[in-house]
Structure formats: C-alpha cells, structure tokens
Amino acid sequence: MGLKFTVESMTAFLDEVFPQVDGMFGIDRLEEGLVVMRLFAHERHLRPGGTVSGPAMFALADVAAYVATMAPIGPQALAVTTHCSIDFMRKPAAGCDVLAEARVLKQGRALCVIDVLLHSEGDPAPVAHASLTYSIPPAR
C-alpha cells in the first residue's frame, strides 16, 4: 500500500490539525504498519509521585493510533476514534519519556484496528496496553 507521509510531513500535518498538542509528541519511526511515538514528559503530564499520568498515556496511545491510521491513507483529518480500551499495568519511570509502539492489525476502507504498547524510554517492560479502532470517513 505504501506510506503517504514521511516523519516530517506527518509532524507538519499534526501541527496543522491539532495545534493544541504542538510539541507534546514526537515521531521516532514511521513504517508501513508500525509507528513509534513518544510523549515528551513535561511537568504538566505528571501525577502525584512524579510519573506520567494515565490521561497523558491515553493521549499518546490515541495520537499514535491516529498516525498509524493516517500514514497509509493520507490526510483525512476527520478520522475519529470509535473504540479504545486501555490497561495500565505499572507506573512509568519518573523523569522518562513514554514511548508508544502502534501496530496496525487491520486497515480497511472504513475502519482501522490498532494495537499500542506503551513503555518508559530505556525499559521495554510495558506500562500500558491499548486497543483502538478508528473510523475513516468515506472518500468524496
């Protein structure tokens, strides 16, 4: 199928359609069927105890799934999350970015199913696991 975005063009697209999260995430890898993204852990993402909060990890999983959905189909800003289930397994390491590895399990014309594992940078043990489905708007 091939990718319609590079890391640079995807970053520019995200900045355009989601300016509210500018500078919050970075794309480490963008391949067919796989996206690796990071949450740049800032103080605003921390919960008591100094680790990244659940809502911040949820946002990372959702954005990584969005990027994985968009990469092969091109800019469809109105694709939306129709399902998300997330399990938090352990707290992330304090002071570390959180990485998300998003794998496309099935990409269809109308839906994309993505599996996301999150872990602290430098530690491969998962801190959370998410399963997401994105709805892709029909081509006009």
Side-chain angles (χ1 to χ4, degrees):
M1 189 171 199
L3 296 180
K4 308 279 193 217
F5 285 98
T6 63
V7 169
E8 295 78 17
S9 63
M10 179 62 77
T11 300
F13 176 70
L14 289 176
D15 289 346
E16 176 187 333
V17 297
F18 295 113
Q20 65 273 29
V21 297
D22 183 35
M24 191 169 161
F25 305 104
I27 302 170
D28 288 8
R29 285 174 60 191
L30 183 59
E31 301 173 6
E32 194 160 340
L34 173 69
V35 172
V36 178
M37 291 191 69
R38 74 176 50 237
L39 168 71
F40 299 113
H42 293 109
E43 188 174 331
R44 69 179 182 247
H45 306 122
L46 304 182
R47 64 175 308 282
T51 61
V52 173
S53 71
M57 288 190 286
F58 178 93
L60 173 61
D62 194 34
V63 171
Y66 182 81
V67 169
T69 301
M70 293 297 102
I73 65 171
Q76 304 242 357
L78 297 180
V80 296
T81 309
T82 58
H83 165 81
C84 181
S85 173
I86 188 164
D87 294 302
F88 299 101
M89 295 180 266
R90 64 183 51 84
K91 65 181 182 176
C96 291
D97 288 351
V98 177
L99 301 178
E101 295 178 12
R103 286 181 170 68
V104 175
L105 301 180
K106 182 181 187 310
Q107 178 104 33
R109 285 188 319 258
L111 296 174
C112 185
V113 179
I114 308 102
D115 183 73
V116 184
L117 275 177
L118 285 78
H119 62 91
S120 299
E121 185 171 33
D123 183 355
V127 298
H129 170 259
S131 172
L132 296 99
T133 303
Y134 260 82
S135 175
I136 302 165
R140 295 184 185 242

